[in-house]
Amino acid sequence: MSENDPTTNPNPTPETKPDEKPAETPETKPEEKPDESADALKAEKDARAAAEKEVADLKAENARLRRSNAATKGTDLDEIRAEIRTEFAGQLIKAEVRAAAAGRLSDPADALALLDLDKLTPEKGDPDPAAIKTALDELLTAKPYLAPKADPTWGDVGSGQRKTAKSEPSTPLERLRNAFGNP
């Protein structure tokens, strides 16, 4: 056999012995079924969701049992009251700030985003109205564009229902006079 012989295969395949298994090539690999992997993924997602729900339920149950246990013992009752106060103190501060900003800012939610609410709460947990007023004053001094506009309307653009029934000008000259304020 020569190199130029047209009957020879230029890419011979390796010969296998009778007792050896052929090497796996991409053509001989068993194909994975997409249904099996999708089912496995769905089962894993379902298991994770169930586990997360169980953790949330257990946390809620733990808090409930801890509170009921403390109520029957009476020893941790003050601690629980303090915990409840701290939980609702944040909500109370936000409500106070929104109420104080309600005429002073065009959007009262800006006050919640821009003010440090921890500085507005004294140690006992009740909101300090004087501190809130001072903080809003400082905020409006630093950012005056947050204040509500004096005249939020854009004027009459010629659409919609009119408040008073005016007659339309009959001539173009009257229209020009009305347009330039010389009626």
Side-chain angles (χ1 to χ4, degrees), residues 1-11:
M1 289 190 183
S2 70
E3 292 180 19
N4 295 333
D5 187 15
T7 59
T8 61
N9 186 357
N11 298 322

Side-chain angles (χ1 to χ4, degrees), residues 54-134:
E54 183 179 356
V55 166
D57 291 344
L58 289 174
K59 283 182 179 180
E61 180 69 13
N62 182 17
R64 187 190 65 77
L65 288 174
R66 193 167 43 99
R67 287 182 178 158
S68 68
N69 188 23
T72 57
K73 283 185 180 179
T75 57
D76 293 327
L77 195 56
D78 292 332
E79 181 181 326
I80 291 172
R81 285 182 182 147
E83 181 182 333
I84 291 172
R85 279 190 192 111
T86 56
E87 283 180 25
F88 293 109
Q91 293 176 1
L92 183 61
I93 297 286
K94 289 178 183 178
E96 289 282 336
V97 168
R98 269 191 235 112
R104 304 186 62 197
L105 297 177
S106 59
D107 185 10
D110 290 340
L112 296 177
L114 298 172
L115 293 178
D116 185 12
L117 300 179
D118 294 333
K119 291 182 180 179
L120 301 176
T121 308
E123 293 180 19
K124 65 179 181 176
D126 292 331
D128 185 12
I132 293 172
K133 183 182 180 311
T134 305

Side-chain angles (χ1 to χ4, degrees), residues 169 171-183:
T171 65
L173 184 58
E174 288 178 12
R175 287 185 183 155
L176 283 174
R177 283 185 186 153
N178 290 342
F180 288 103
N182 297 328

